[in-house]
Amino acid sequence: DNSLGDTDPEVQSIIADEKERQFRNLSLIASENFTSRAVMEAVGSCLTNKYSEGLPGKRYYGGNVNIDKMEILCQERALRAFHLDGEKWGVNVQPLSGSPANFEVYTAILNPHDRIMGLDLPHGGHLSHGFMTPKRRVSGTSIYFESMPYRLDESTGLVDYDMLEKTAILFRPKLIIAGASAYPRDFDYPRMRKIADSVGAFLMADMAHISGLVAASVVADPFEYCDIVTTTTHKSLRGPRGGMIFFKKDPVLGVDLESAINNAVFPGLQGGPHNHTIAGLAVSLKLAQSPEFKTYQKQVVANSRALADRLISLGYKLVSGGSDNHLVLVDLRPLGIDGARVEKILDLASITLNKNSVPGDKSALVPGGIRMGAPAMTTRGFTENDFESAADFIHEGVQIALAAKKAAPSSKVQDFMKFVESPDFPFTQRISE
Ligand code: PLP
């Protein structure tokens, strides 16, 4: 068979460019990582050729002897990597990614229009936890279920558990979700368990961002308190792109989670599993049990703290005042600059991070913060000193962004921008939410 280069030099060249970009850039995207060669070999294997709807031993296609072995191996490693007793916990390793995994849980345990509470997106939650604006139900979760997000206490940047409790008593959710895309602290799982029990709700953790840290026991363990735990596999866990759903084997609130969740994955929302991904995931879960992985995750936390401390010493305001995990969220508003401008300037300097809303933000399009994470550059060998240097580079970028903002636009540009903002501007639909 012909190689990629022989068959399609165009695609090969884009991949080569992206490899170069990944190599050259200082990647501080909190949700990204560099997976290993071994994982990529497994993902690029012939397992992509096989259909295997169903579960090991119960397939709708023949020829699955090796696929069954692989999926069972992956399940066993998943339970071991998270220190779980196979008598008490089960896992489905077929979810195609984090958002499908979450929606599969919702369809497994909820009826349409049942009530859920997750952390609000502008306060660090994920779209798939029920995000909606006053005008629009943005995610499938808020379209098919009734969502009442909980929020942070804006004065501390920490989850407002008192308010969550009060709201839960009034709203009576059937599901409470602990987990975030931009929260630099641990969740108080015992407190959330109490709140869920007081209103008869399931408690689910979405540990997508922190699953590597959980496996290495360097942050609080959601399994001790939650009924269901979902995760992506490509963030701090450093595996291929995918998802997993862990569930308690004993019935919870009268629901057999094992069959409800397995049926929601297939045939509920998915068809054939991506067996090549499951093979890559099995490899990453083997690596996640190694002493080196624990050392790596400790370094991730130390690096994130070093980045946070340096930024604080440079005068930055951090949401929650610091970091206990892999990420740092900076509130740029006191400086009079927004996250979008800083992201753009740093992009030009090959520093990749993302603009992020911070508590109290008015606009999601021009948010007031930036989010940075340590997993990717820690994989590439960065230690505390390097992250301090990264903080200095970011500081330089912010100074440049501030100077660029101060440079007054010419009157022609000002007139044009007024036109763009006006209802007469014909080319783009204005988004005002
Ligand atoms: N859950 C959390 C907390 C996330 O941060 C993300 C992605 O960033 C997801 C779920 C969704 O994962 P995916 O993008 O793989 O659908």
Side-chain angles (χ1 to χ4, degrees):
D1 236 359
N2 287 338
S3 68
L4 176 61
D6 292 337
T7 308
D8 194 335
E10 202 178 348
V11 164
Q12 190 198 36
S13 149
I14 295 172
I15 292 174
D17 289 348
E18 172 58 12
K19 190 172 176 184
E20 178 72 10
R21 189 201 65 80
Q22 290 188 13
F23 180 72
R24 286 197 180 286
N25 273 47
L26 209 146
S27 172
L28 297 172
I29 306 273
S31 50
E32 290 182 5
N33 212 329
F34 297 100
T35 194
S36 58
R37 174 181 298 218
V39 166
M40 288 204 280
E41 266 180 38
V43 172
S45 71
C46 65
L47 270 67
T48 197
N49 299 331
K50 189 70 195 101
Y51 245 110
S52 57
E53 283 173 354
L55 285 165
K58 292 177 275 186
R59 304 285 188 186
Y60 290 82
Y61 289 79
N64 274 303
V65 55
N66 300 311
I67 298 298
D68 277 5
K69 263 192 219 160
M70 183 65 79
E71 187 164 343
I72 290 167
L73 181 66
C74 188
Q75 290 170 344
E76 287 170 354
R77 287 183 178 175
L79 295 175
R80 238 178 289 132
F82 291 95
H83 326 286
L84 299 172
D85 176 353
E87 297 284 307
K88 294 189 176 141
W89 285 88
V91 61
N92 190 306
V93 297
Q94 296 186 6
L96 301 176
S97 217
S99 302
N102 287 343
F103 207 76
E104 281 152 8
V105 170
Y106 308 148
T107 48
I109 61 171
L110 304 175
N111 291 312
H113 301 294
D114 273 352
R115 287 175 284 228
I116 64 166
M117 291 185 75
L119 182 60
D120 209 1
L121 180 99
H123 281 215
H126 188 256
L127 268 171
S128 63
H129 298 176
F131 180 55
M132 54 199 282
T133 70
K135 289 189 184 158
R136 202 156 68 88
R137 294 179 177 230
V138 179
S139 90
T141 311
S142 52
I143 293 171
Y144 295 106
F145 304 98
E146 301 305 318
S147 165
M148 172 72 79
Y150 60 91
R151 315 195 89 203
L152 305 183
D153 174 340
E154 290 188 14
S155 64
T156 59
L158 301 174
V159 171
D160 189 342
Y161 294 102
D162 292 340
M163 189 51 85
L164 165 58
E165 183 165 21
K166 278 187 203 149
T167 314
I169 287 166
L170 294 171
F171 187 62
R172 314 293 302 179
K174 207 162 161 191
L175 171 68
I176 298 177
I177 305 159
S181 300
Y183 188 57
R185 304 291 187 178
D186 259 337
F187 276 79
D188 186 346
Y189 301 112
R191 178 94 199 258
M192 295 188 78
R193 176 78 265 170
K194 262 196 205 146
I195 296 171
D197 286 345
S198 74
V199 297
F202 294 96
L203 181 62
M204 164 183 141
D206 176 350
M207 62 169 184
H209 262 257
I210 55 165
S211 54
L213 292 86
V214 172
S217 307
V218 296
V219 291
D221 185 354
F223 290 95
E224 281 181 39
Y225 296 95
C226 297
D227 308 308
I228 298 163
V229 179
T230 63
T231 185
T232 54
T233 52
H234 45 273
K235 298 186 170 92
S236 57
L237 191 60
R238 214 160 57 175
R241 307 198 81 77
M244 290 191 281
I245 305 170
F246 295 86
F247 44 81
K248 275 191 179 152
K249 281 200 164 167
D250 283 342
V252 178
L253 299 172
V255 178
D256 174 358
L257 295 179
E258 178 161 20
S259 67
I261 287 171
N262 285 338
N263 286 325
V265 175
F266 173 83
L269 285 155
Q270 294 187 186
H274 290 189
N275 296 303
H276 54 306
T277 303
I278 290 172
L281 178 55
V283 175
S284 59
L285 290 165
K286 177 183 176 178
L287 296 172
Q289 294 170 58
S290 66
E292 293 80 11
F293 190 78
K294 192 166 175 103
T295 308
Y296 160 68
Q297 296 295 352
K298 279 187 184 159
Q299 190 64 54
V300 166
V301 173
N303 286 346
S304 181
R305 196 159 293 167
L307 177 64
D309 289 347
R310 182 74 179 169
L311 287 166
I312 290 168
S313 75
L314 289 165
Y316 288 87
K317 182 181 172 205
L318 270 49
V319 175
S320 87
S323 170
D324 286 334
N325 55 23
H326 65 302
L327 73 81
V328 173
L329 193 56
V330 178
D331 184 352
L332 295 167
R333 292 170 307 177
L335 297 172
I337 189 91
D338 59 81
R341 281 187 168 86
V342 171
E343 178 192 287
K344 194 113 206 140
I345 295 284
L346 290 172
D347 234 351
L348 295 171
S350 301
I351 297 173
T352 318
L353 47 67
N354 64 284
K355 59 180 179 285
N356 214 96
S357 46
V358 284
D361 254 343
K362 298 282 175 286
S363 161
L365 290 177
V366 190
I370 45 173
R371 185 187 71 158
M372 285 155 281
M377 293 317 293
T378 307
T379 293
R380 292 189 65 186
F382 270 33
T383 59
E384 288 92 329
N385 284 341
D386 306 308
F387 272 89
E388 283 166 8
S389 302
D392 293 342
F393 297 144
I394 290 158
H395 183 52
E396 259 185 64
V398 170
Q399 301 310 311
I400 294 167
L402 278 166
K405 196 186 167 200
K406 270 193 204 128
S410 72
S411 61
K412 263 192 186 168
V413 171
Q414 284 184 22
D415 288 348
F416 178 68
M417 289 315 289
K418 267 190 206 140
F419 174 55
V420 169
E421 292 279 297
S422 77
D424 304 330
F425 187 62
F427 303 116
T428 55
Q429 202 185 343
R430 296 184 328 129
I431 301 167
S432 54
E433 58 195 32

